[in-house]
Amino acid sequence: MPNLIIGDSIGTKKITQIHDNKLRSFISPKIQVNGEMVFIKDDSPSGIKECTTRYEAKKEAIKAREQLKQAL
């Protein structure tokens, strides 16, 4: 695994996109890796973690951040 620095910052972003000719909106969690805010990869249609509320997205970001810190 490359040299990763997991920061303490988390964030969320509202994303709206078209999928199968339908407009979809969701909130996606972000975590800080090597000084940059990045999305959490997932096997959803968008390819990133999708949440329905900011609260849920923040919880997912904290969970992912802690799992990455433990793995390193």
Side-chain angles (χ1 to χ4, degrees):
M1 189 177 293
N3 200 9
L4 296 176
I5 300 169
I6 308 301
D8 292 329
S9 296
I10 61 167
T12 62
K13 180 168 179 127
K14 183 175 182 179
I15 299 174
T16 303
Q17 58 183 210
I18 297 174
H19 183 71
D20 293 334
N21 291 329
K22 294 182 182 177
L23 195 62
R24 304 175 49 236
S25 291
F26 57 90
I27 310 291
S28 185
K30 298 173 86 173
I31 59 173
Q32 186 179 28
V33 178
N34 291 340
E36 293 184 34
M37 296 300 285
V38 296
F39 292 105
I40 300 169
K41 197 170 186 176
D42 194 359
D43 56 354
S44 64
S46 65
I48 57 176
K49 188 76 174 168
E50 298 178 8
C51 301
T52 55
T53 64
R54 289 194 186 280
Y55 177 76
E56 180 187 356
K58 285 182 179 183
K59 283 178 54 176
E60 290 292 332
I62 291 169
K63 180 178 156 186
R65 180 187 66 193
E66 296 308 316
Q67 287 176 347
L68 273 174
K69 282 185 175 183
Q70 286 180 358
L72 298 177

Coordinates of all heavy atoms in Angstrom, one line a residue:
M1 N 0.9 -1.2 0.0 CA 0.0 0.0 0.0 C 0.9 1.2 0.0 O 1.9 1.3 0.7 CB -0.9 0.0 1.2 CG -2.0 1.1 1.2 SD -3.1 1.0 2.6 CE -4.0 -0.5 2.3
P2 N 0.6 2.2 -0.8 CA 1.4 3.4 -0.9 C 1.4 4.2 0.4 O 0.5 3.9 1.3 CB 0.8 4.3 -2.0 CG -0.5 3.7 -2.3 CD -0.5 2.3 -1.7
N3 N 2.3 5.1 0.6 CA 2.4 5.9 1.8 C 1.2 6.9 1.9 O 1.2 7.9 1.2 CB 3.7 6.7 1.8 CG 4.1 7.1 3.2 OD1 3.5 6.7 4.2 ND2 5.1 7.9 3.3
L4 N 0.2 6.6 2.7 CA -1.0 7.4 2.8 C -1.0 8.1 4.2 O -0.7 7.5 5.2 CB -2.3 6.5 2.7 CG -2.5 5.8 1.4 CD1 -3.8 5.0 1.5 CD2 -2.7 6.8 0.3
I5 N -1.5 9.3 4.1 CA -1.7 10.1 5.4 C -3.1 10.4 5.4 O -3.7 11.1 4.6 CB -0.8 11.4 5.3 CG1 0.7 11.1 5.2 CG2 -1.1 12.2 6.6 CD1 1.5 12.3 4.9
I6 N -3.8 9.9 6.4 CA -5.2 10.0 6.6 C -5.4 11.2 7.6 O -5.0 11.2 8.7 CB -5.9 8.8 7.2 CG1 -5.6 7.5 6.4 CG2 -7.4 9.0 7.3 CD1 -5.9 7.6 4.9
G7 N -6.1 12.3 7.1 CA -6.3 13.5 8.0 C -7.5 13.3 8.8 O -8.2 12.3 8.8
D8 N -7.8 14.3 9.7 CA -8.9 14.3 10.6 C -10.2 14.9 10.0 O -11.2 14.8 10.5 CB -8.6 15.1 11.9 CG -7.5 14.3 12.7 OD1 -7.5 13.1 12.6 OD2 -6.7 15.0 13.4
S9 N -10.0 15.6 8.8 CA -11.2 16.3 8.2 C -12.1 15.3 7.5 O -11.7 14.3 6.9 CB -10.7 17.3 7.2 OG -10.0 18.3 7.8
I10 N -13.4 15.6 7.6 CA -14.4 14.9 6.9 C -15.3 15.9 6.2 O -15.3 17.1 6.7 CB -15.3 13.9 7.7 CG1 -16.0 14.7 8.8 CG2 -14.4 12.8 8.3 CD1 -17.1 13.9 9.5
G11 N -16.1 15.5 5.3 CA -17.0 16.5 4.6 C -18.1 15.7 3.9 O -18.1 14.5 3.8
T12 N -19.0 16.5 3.3 CA -20.1 15.9 2.5 C -20.3 16.8 1.3 O -19.9 18.0 1.3 CB -21.4 15.8 3.3 OG1 -21.8 17.1 3.7 CG2 -21.3 15.0 4.5
K13 N -20.9 16.2 0.3 CA -21.2 17.0 -1.0 C -22.5 16.5 -1.6 O -22.6 15.3 -1.7 CB -20.1 16.9 -2.0 CG -20.3 17.7 -3.2 CD -19.1 17.8 -4.1 CE -19.5 18.6 -5.3 NZ -18.7 19.7 -5.6
K14 N -23.4 17.4 -1.9 CA -24.6 17.0 -2.5 C -24.3 16.9 -4.0 O -23.8 17.8 -4.7 CB -25.7 18.0 -2.3 CG -27.0 17.6 -2.9 CD -28.1 18.6 -2.6 CE -29.4 18.1 -3.2 NZ -30.6 18.9 -2.9
I15 N -24.7 15.8 -4.6 CA -24.5 15.5 -6.0 C -25.8 15.2 -6.7 O -26.6 14.4 -6.2 CB -23.5 14.3 -6.2 CG1 -22.2 14.7 -5.5 CG2 -23.3 13.9 -7.6 CD1 -21.2 13.5 -5.5
T16 N -26.0 15.8 -7.9 CA -27.2 15.5 -8.7 C -26.7 15.0 -10.0 O -25.8 15.6 -10.6 CB -28.0 16.7 -8.8 OG1 -28.4 17.2 -7.6 CG2 -29.3 16.4 -9.7
Q17 N -27.2 13.9 -10.5 CA -26.8 13.3 -11.8 C -27.9 12.6 -12.5 O -28.9 12.3 -11.8 CB -25.6 12.4 -11.6 CG -25.8 11.2 -10.7 CD -24.6 10.4 -10.5 OE1 -24.7 9.2 -10.3 NE2 -23.4 10.9 -10.6
I18 N -27.8 12.4 -13.7 CA -28.8 11.6 -14.5 C -28.3 10.2 -14.6 O -27.2 9.9 -15.0 CB -29.0 12.2 -15.9 CG1 -29.5 13.7 -15.8 CG2 -29.9 11.4 -16.7 CD1 -29.6 14.4 -17.1
H19 N -29.2 9.3 -14.3 CA -28.9 7.8 -14.4 C -30.2 7.1 -14.9 O -31.2 7.3 -14.4 CB -28.5 7.2 -13.0 CG -28.1 5.8 -13.1 ND1 -27.0 5.4 -13.6 CD2 -28.8 4.7 -12.6 CE1 -26.9 4.1 -13.5 NE2 -28.0 3.6 -12.9
D20 N -30.0 6.4 -16.0 CA -31.2 5.8 -16.7 C -32.3 6.8 -17.0 O -33.5 6.5 -16.7 CB -31.7 4.6 -15.9 CG -30.8 3.5 -15.8 OD1 -29.9 3.3 -16.7 OD2 -30.8 2.7 -14.8
N21 N -31.9 8.0 -17.5 CA -32.8 9.0 -17.9 C -33.7 9.6 -16.7 O -34.8 10.1 -16.9 CB -33.8 8.6 -19.0 CG -33.0 8.5 -20.3 OD1 -32.0 9.2 -20.5 ND2 -33.4 7.6 -21.2
K22 N -33.2 9.4 -15.5 CA -33.8 9.9 -14.3 C -32.8 10.8 -13.5 O -31.7 10.4 -13.4 CB -34.3 8.8 -13.4 CG -35.4 8.0 -14.0 CD -35.9 6.9 -13.1 CE -37.0 6.1 -13.7 NZ -37.4 5.0 -12.9
L23 N -33.3 11.9 -13.0 CA -32.5 12.8 -12.2 C -32.4 12.2 -10.8 O -33.4 11.9 -10.2 CB -33.1 14.2 -12.2 CG -32.3 15.3 -11.7 CD1 -31.0 15.5 -12.6 CD2 -33.1 16.6 -11.7
R24 N -31.2 12.1 -10.3 CA -31.0 11.5 -8.9 C -30.1 12.5 -8.1 O -29.2 13.1 -8.6 CB -30.2 10.2 -9.0 CG -30.8 9.2 -9.8 CD -29.9 7.9 -9.9 NE -29.4 7.5 -8.6 CZ -28.2 7.3 -8.3 NH1 -27.2 7.5 -9.2 NH2 -27.8 6.9 -7.1
S25 N -30.5 12.7 -6.9 CA -29.7 13.5 -6.0 C -29.3 12.7 -4.7 O -30.2 11.9 -4.3 CB -30.5 14.7 -5.5 OG -30.6 15.6 -6.6
F26 N -28.1 12.8 -4.2 CA -27.7 12.1 -3.0 C -26.6 12.9 -2.4 O -26.0 13.8 -3.0 CB -27.2 10.7 -3.3 CG -26.1 10.6 -4.4 CD1 -24.8 10.6 -4.0 CD2 -26.4 10.5 -5.7 CE1 -23.8 10.5 -4.9 CE2 -25.4 10.4 -6.7 CZ -24.1 10.4 -6.3
I27 N -26.3 12.6 -1.1 CA -25.2 13.2 -0.4 C -24.1 12.2 -0.3 O -24.3 11.0 0.0 CB -25.6 13.6 1.0 CG1 -26.9 14.4 1.1 CG2 -24.5 14.3 1.8 CD1 -26.8 15.7 0.5
S28 N -22.8 12.6 -0.6 CA -21.7 11.7 -0.6 C -20.7 12.2 0.4 O -20.3 13.3 0.5 CB -21.1 11.7 -2.0 OG -20.0 10.7 -2.0
P29 N -20.2 11.2 1.2 CA -19.2 11.6 2.2 C -17.8 11.7 1.6 O -17.5 11.0 0.6 CB -19.2 10.4 3.2 CG -19.8 9.2 2.4 CD -20.6 9.8 1.4
K30 N -17.0 12.5 2.2 CA -15.6 12.7 1.8 C -14.7 12.6 3.0 O -15.1 13.0 4.1 CB -15.4 14.1 1.1 CG -16.3 14.3 -0.1 CD -16.2 15.7 -0.6 CE -15.0 15.8 -1.5 NZ -15.0 17.1 -2.2
I31 N -13.5 12.1 2.8 CA -12.5 12.1 3.8 C -11.2 12.7 3.3 O -11.0 12.8 2.1 CB -12.2 10.7 4.4 CG1 -11.7 9.7 3.2 CG2 -13.4 10.1 5.0 CD1 -11.3 8.4 3.7
Q32 N -10.3 13.1 4.2 CA -9.0 13.7 3.8 C -7.9 12.6 3.7 O -7.6 11.9 4.7 CB -8.6 14.8 4.8 CG -7.4 15.5 4.4 CD -7.0 16.6 5.5 OE1 -7.3 16.4 6.7 NE2 -6.4 17.7 5.1
V33 N -7.3 12.5 2.5 CA -6.2 11.6 2.3 C -5.1 12.4 1.6 O -5.3 13.0 0.5 CB -6.7 10.4 1.4 CG1 -5.5 9.5 1.1 CG2 -7.8 9.7 2.0
N34 N -3.9 12.4 2.2 CA -2.8 13.1 1.6 C -3.1 14.5 1.4 O -2.7 15.1 0.4 CB -2.2 12.4 0.4 CG -1.6 11.1 0.6 OD1 -1.2 10.8 1.8 ND2 -1.5 10.2 -0.4
G35 N -3.9 15.2 2.3 CA -4.1 16.6 2.2 C -5.3 16.9 1.2 O -5.6 18.1 1.1
E36 N -5.9 16.0 0.5 CA -7.0 16.3 -0.4 C -8.2 15.6 0.1 O -8.2 14.5 0.6 CB -6.6 15.7 -1.8 CG -5.5 16.5 -2.4 CD -5.3 16.0 -3.9 OE1 -6.2 15.6 -4.5 OE2 -4.1 16.0 -4.3
M37 N -9.4 16.2 -0.1 CA -10.7 15.6 0.2 C -11.1 14.7 -1.0 O -11.1 15.1 -2.1 CB -11.7 16.7 0.4 CG -11.4 17.6 1.6 SD -11.3 16.7 3.2 CE -13.0 16.4 3.5
V38 N -11.3 13.4 -0.6 CA -11.7 12.4 -1.7 C -13.0 11.7 -1.3 O -13.3 11.6 -0.1 CB -10.6 11.4 -1.8 CG1 -9.3 12.1 -2.4 CG2 -10.3 10.6 -0.6
F39 N -13.7 11.3 -2.3 CA -14.9 10.5 -2.1 C -14.6 9.1 -1.7 O -13.5 8.6 -2.0 CB -15.8 10.5 -3.4 CG -16.3 11.8 -3.7 CD1 -15.8 12.5 -4.8 CD2 -17.4 12.3 -3.0 CE1 -16.3 13.8 -5.1 CE2 -17.9 13.6 -3.4 CZ -17.4 14.3 -4.4
I40 N -15.6 8.4 -1.1 CA -15.4 7.0 -0.7 C -15.9 6.1 -1.8 O -17.1 6.3 -2.2 CB -16.1 6.8 0.7 CG1 -15.6 7.7 1.8 CG2 -16.1 5.3 1.1 CD1 -16.4 7.7 3.0
K41 N -15.1 5.2 -2.3 CA -15.5 4.4 -3.4 C -16.5 3.3 -3.0 O -16.5 2.9 -1.8 CB -14.3 3.7 -4.0 CG -14.4 3.1 -5.3 CD -13.1 2.7 -5.9 CE -13.3 2.2 -7.3 NZ -12.0 1.9 -7.9
D42 N -17.4 3.0 -3.9 CA -18.5 2.1 -3.5 C -19.0 1.4 -4.9 O -18.6 1.8 -5.9 CB -19.7 2.9 -2.9 CG -20.7 2.0 -2.3 OD1 -20.6 0.8 -2.3 OD2 -21.7 2.5 -1.7
D43 N -19.8 0.4 -4.7 CA -20.3 -0.3 -6.0 C -21.7 0.2 -6.4 O -22.4 -0.5 -7.0 CB -20.3 -1.8 -5.8 CG -21.0 -2.3 -4.6 OD1 -21.5 -1.5 -3.8 OD2 -21.1 -3.5 -4.4
S44 N -22.1 1.4 -6.0 CA -23.3 2.0 -6.3 C -23.3 2.4 -7.8 O -22.2 2.5 -8.4 CB -23.7 3.2 -5.4 OG -22.7 4.2 -5.6
P45 N -24.4 2.8 -8.4 CA -24.4 3.3 -9.8 C -23.4 4.4 -10.1 O -22.8 4.5 -11.2 CB -25.8 3.7 -10.1 CG -26.6 2.9 -9.1 CD -25.8 2.8 -7.9
S46 N -23.2 5.3 -9.1 CA -22.3 6.5 -9.3 C -20.9 6.1 -9.1 O -20.0 6.8 -9.5 CB -22.7 7.6 -8.3 OG -22.5 7.2 -7.0
G47 N -20.6 5.0 -8.4 CA -19.2 4.6 -8.1 C -18.7 5.1 -6.8 O -17.6 4.8 -6.4
I48 N -19.5 6.0 -6.1 CA -19.1 6.5 -4.8 C -20.2 6.3 -3.8 O -21.3 6.0 -4.2 CB -18.7 8.0 -4.9 CG1 -19.9 8.8 -5.4 CG2 -17.5 8.2 -5.7 CD1 -19.6 10.3 -5.5
K49 N -19.8 6.3 -2.5 CA -20.8 6.1 -1.5 C -22.0 7.1 -1.6 O -21.7 8.3 -1.7 CB -20.1 6.2 -0.1 CG -21.0 5.8 1.1 CD -21.1 4.3 1.1 CE -21.8 3.9 2.4 NZ -22.1 2.5 2.4
E50 N -23.2 6.6 -1.5 CA -24.4 7.5 -1.6 C -25.2 7.4 -0.3 O -25.4 6.3 0.2 CB -25.3 7.0 -2.7 CG -24.6 7.1 -4.1 CD -25.5 6.6 -5.2 OE1 -26.7 6.3 -4.9 OE2 -25.0 6.5 -6.3
C51 N -25.6 8.6 0.3 CA -26.3 8.7 1.5 C -27.5 9.6 1.2 O -27.5 10.4 0.3 CB -25.5 9.2 2.6 SG -24.0 8.2 3.0
T52 N -28.6 9.4 2.1 CA -29.8 10.2 1.9 C -29.8 11.5 2.7 O -30.5 12.4 2.4 CB -31.0 9.4 2.3 OG1 -30.9 8.9 3.6 CG2 -31.2 8.3 1.3
T53 N -29.0 11.5 3.8 CA -28.9 12.7 4.6 C -27.4 13.1 4.9 O -26.5 12.2 4.8 CB -29.6 12.5 6.0 OG1 -28.9 11.5 6.7 CG2 -31.0 12.2 5.8
R54 N -27.2 14.3 5.3 CA -25.8 14.8 5.7 C -25.4 14.0 6.9 O -24.2 13.7 7.0 CB -25.8 16.3 5.9 CG -25.9 17.0 4.6 CD -25.5 18.5 4.8 NE -25.7 19.3 3.6 CZ -24.9 19.3 2.5 NH1 -23.8 18.6 2.5 NH2 -25.2 20.0 1.5
Y55 N -26.3 13.8 7.8 CA -25.9 13.1 9.1 C -25.4 11.7 8.8 O -24.4 11.3 9.3 CB -27.2 13.1 10.0 CG -27.0 12.3 11.3 CD1 -26.2 12.8 12.3 CD2 -27.5 11.0 11.4 CE1 -26.0 12.1 13.5 CE2 -27.2 10.3 12.6 CZ -26.5 10.8 13.6 OH -26.3 10.1 14.8
E56 N -26.1 11.0 7.9 CA -25.7 9.7 7.5 C -24.4 9.7 6.8 O -23.5 8.9 7.0 CB -26.8 9.0 6.6 CG -26.4 7.7 6.1 CD -27.4 7.1 5.1 OE1 -28.4 7.8 4.8 OE2 -27.2 6.0 4.6
A57 N -24.2 10.7 5.9 CA -22.9 10.8 5.2 C -21.7 11.1 6.2 O -20.6 10.5 6.0 CB -23.0 11.9 4.2
K58 N -22.0 11.9 7.2 CA -20.9 12.2 8.1 C -20.5 11.0 8.9 O -19.4 10.7 9.2 CB -21.3 13.3 9.1 CG -21.2 14.7 8.4 CD -21.6 15.8 9.4 CE -21.5 17.2 8.8 NZ -21.8 18.2 9.7
K59 N -21.6 10.2 9.3 CA -21.3 8.9 10.0 C -20.5 8.0 9.2 O -19.5 7.3 9.7 CB -22.6 8.3 10.5 CG -23.2 8.9 11.7 CD -24.5 8.3 12.1 CE -24.5 6.9 12.3 NZ -25.7 6.3 12.8
E60 N -20.8 7.9 7.9 CA -20.1 7.0 7.0 C -18.6 7.5 6.8 O -17.7 6.7 6.7 CB -20.8 6.9 5.6 CG -22.1 6.1 5.7 CD -21.9 4.7 5.9 OE1 -20.9 4.1 5.6 OE2 -22.8 4.1 6.5
A61 N -18.4 8.8 6.7 CA -17.1 9.3 6.6 C -16.2 9.0 7.8 O -15.1 8.6 7.6 CB -17.2 10.9 6.3
I62 N -16.8 9.2 9.0 CA -16.1 8.9 10.2 C -15.7 7.4 10.3 O -14.6 7.0 10.6 CB -16.9 9.3 11.4 CG1 -17.0 10.9 11.5 CG2 -16.3 8.8 12.7 CD1 -18.0 11.4 12.5
K63 N -16.7 6.6 9.9 CA -16.4 5.1 9.9 C -15.3 4.7 8.9 O -14.4 4.0 9.3 CB -17.7 4.4 9.5 CG -17.7 2.9 9.5 CD -19.1 2.4 9.2 CE -19.0 1.0 8.6 NZ -20.3 0.5 8.1
A64 N -15.4 5.3 7.7 CA -14.3 5.0 6.7 C -13.0 5.5 7.1 O -12.0 4.8 7.0 CB -14.7 5.6 5.4
R65 N -12.9 6.7 7.7 CA -11.7 7.3 8.2 C -11.0 6.4 9.2 O -9.9 6.1 9.2 CB -11.9 8.7 8.7 CG -10.7 9.4 9.2 CD -11.0 10.7 9.8 NE -11.7 10.5 11.0 CZ -12.4 11.4 11.7 NH1 -12.4 12.6 11.3 NH2 -13.0 11.1 12.8
E66 N -11.8 6.0 10.2 CA -11.3 5.2 11.3 C -10.8 3.8 10.8 O -9.8 3.3 11.3 CB -12.4 5.0 12.4 CG -12.8 6.3 13.1 CD -11.6 7.1 13.6 OE1 -10.7 6.5 14.2 OE2 -11.5 8.3 13.4
Q67 N -11.6 3.2 9.8 CA -11.2 1.9 9.3 C -9.8 2.1 8.6 O -8.9 1.2 8.7 CB -12.2 1.4 8.3 CG -13.4 0.8 9.0 CD -14.5 0.4 8.1 OE1 -14.5 0.7 6.9 NE2 -15.5 -0.3 8.6
L68 N -9.7 3.2 7.8 CA -8.4 3.4 7.1 C -7.2 3.6 8.1 O -6.1 3.1 7.9 CB -8.5 4.6 6.2 CG -9.0 4.3 4.8 CD1 -9.2 5.6 4.0 CD2 -8.1 3.4 4.0
K69 N -7.5 4.4 9.1 CA -6.4 4.6 10.1 C -6.0 3.3 10.8 O -4.8 3.1 11.0 CB -6.9 5.7 11.1 CG -6.9 7.1 10.6 CD -7.2 8.1 11.7 CE -7.1 9.5 11.2 NZ -7.3 10.4 12.3
Q70 N -6.9 2.5 11.1 CA -6.6 1.2 11.7 C -5.8 0.3 10.7 O -5.0 -0.5 11.1 CB -7.8 0.5 12.2 CG -8.4 1.1 13.5 CD -9.7 0.4 13.9 OE1 -10.1 -0.5 13.3 NE2 -10.2 0.9 15.1
A71 N -6.2 0.3 9.5 CA -5.5 -0.5 8.5 C -4.1 -0.1 8.2 O -3.3 -1.0 7.8 CB -6.3 -0.5 7.2
L72 N -3.8 1.2 8.5 CA -2.4 1.6 8.3 C -1.7 1.4 9.5 O -0.7 1.3 9.9 CB -2.4 3.1 7.9 CG -3.1 3.4 6.6 CD1 -3.1 4.9 6.3 CD2 -2.4 2.7 5.4

